[in-house]
Amino acid sequence: DGGITQSPKYLFRKEGQNVTLSCEQNLNHDAMYWYRQDPGQGLRLIYYSQIVNDFQKGDIAEGYSVSREKKESFPLTVTSAQKNPTAFYLCASSIPLKETQYFGPGTRLLVL
Amino acid sequence: AQTVTQSQPEMSVQEAETVTLSCTYDTSESDYYLFWYKQPPSRQMILVIRQEAYKQQNATENRFSVNFQKAAKSFSLKISDSQLGDAAMYFCAYRSTMYSGGGADGLTFGKGTHLIIQP
């Protein structure tokens, strides 16, 4: 089945630690996105990538980094510079010229 | 920058009745896309319906329809014959077409409306 997978489902981070959230898609979509969702809030864009080896900052990129070495994969690293990382993280993908984004199941990040 | 406002934090409806969720947005663009997404307790974001701003006809998907008022910058979602499975958070989202051809700059979301279905 085609779709978007995110792992892990839950992730715990210690103070000063970098952690990486995985996002993989087999939909053959060129564009991929990372969003953050806080309680009682809508989603906010962290980073997006329109094509392999290229990515752009979204509205809240500080404290995060990404890479796009393969079309299928768009991992997000939450660095120690992100002081309030506790949130639900959603990955999405879409076909350029087709504006609908499809979402993965999400990763819940908690700080120990 | 575009903004999306959902003024109803929570709505409640009896099963089989009709409910309308409100959404307004602010933009200076003439062409764009609007979406309603559903987020059930599993937290998976599911597309409900989409509307292209250049289309005057309101989008419809089975029991879900929209009332798109471009001049008023309003985009409400009507759910007919409400079912227990419709209970979820509903998010209105906006997407610019300014950079179309590359997937552009992502979606701008409202804060959501929590829909409760009373049996």
Side-chain angles (χ1 to χ4, degrees), chain A residues 36-44, chain B residues 39 43 89 91 109-112:
Chain A
R36 169 178 171 144
Q37 185 178 27
D38 293 285
Q41 302 292 321
L43 281 65
R44 292 182 291 166
Chain B
Q39 189 178 43
R43 305 198 73 174
M89 286 292 294
F91 291 94
F109 285 85
K111 292 187 176 182

Side-chain angles (χ1 to χ4, degrees), chain A residues 36-44 84 86-88 90 108, chain B residues 4-10 39 43 45 88-92 109-114:
Chain A
R36 169 178 171 144
Q37 185 178 27
D38 293 285
Q41 302 292 321
L43 281 65
R44 292 182 291 166
N84 185 23
T86 297
F88 188 62
L90 286 150
R108 177 86 169 135
Chain B
V4 176
T5 302
Q6 294 179 248
S7 58
Q8 306 153 315
E10 187 173 279
Q39 189 178 43
R43 305 198 73 174
M45 293 290 284
M89 286 292 294
Y90 285 81
F91 291 94
C92 178
F109 285 85
K111 292 187 176 182
T113 296
H114 181 210

Side-chain angles (χ1 to χ4, degrees), chain A:
Chain A
D1 288 335
I4 303 173
T5 58
Q6 291 186 241
S7 62
K9 187 173 182 179
Y10 296 96
L11 185 58
F12 298 91
R13 194 191 91 162
K14 296 179 181 179
E15 291 288 339
Q17 185 182 38
N18 291 355
V19 293
T20 298
L21 285 62
S22 170
C23 177
E24 303 277 334
Q25 54 99 0
N26 61 3
L27 300 169
N28 200 33
H29 289 174
D30 284 309
M32 296 186 74
Y33 309 82
W34 274 106
Y35 292 89
R36 169 178 171 144
Q37 185 178 27
D38 293 285
Q41 302 292 321
L43 281 65
R44 292 182 291 166
L45 183 67
I46 305 172
Y47 267 99
Y48 65 97
S49 169
Q50 300 176 17
I51 197 168
V52 173
N53 294 322
D54 183 64
F55 48 83
Q56 304 295 329
K57 292 182 179 180
D59 299 321
I60 55 167
E62 185 175 351
Y64 300 97
S65 65
V66 294
S67 63
R68 187 86 188 276
E69 298 177 0
K70 298 187 300 181
K71 186 176 184 178
E72 302 79 18
S73 179
F74 191 40
L76 173 74
T77 296
V78 184
T79 75
S80 58
Q82 173 49 246
K83 297 307 178 186
N84 185 23
T86 297
F88 188 62
Y89 291 86
L90 286 150
C91 178
S93 69
S94 72
I95 305 172
L97 300 180
K98 298 288 184 182
E99 305 301 330
T100 301
Q101 293 186 15
Y102 298 92
F103 286 82
T107 293
R108 177 86 169 135
L109 176 60
L110 298 167
V111 176
L112 294 177

Side-chain angles (χ1 to χ4, degrees), chain B residues 80-118:
Chain B
S80 304
D81 185 26
S82 297
Q83 300 175 1
L84 294 177
D86 295 333
M89 286 292 294
Y90 285 81
F91 291 94
C92 178
Y94 172 103
R95 179 150 187 185
S96 172
T97 63
M98 185 180 296
Y99 305 106
S100 274
D105 57 348
L107 295 166
T108 300
F109 285 85
K111 292 187 176 182
T113 296
H114 181 210
L115 179 63
I116 298 168
I117 311 294
Q118 304 280 4

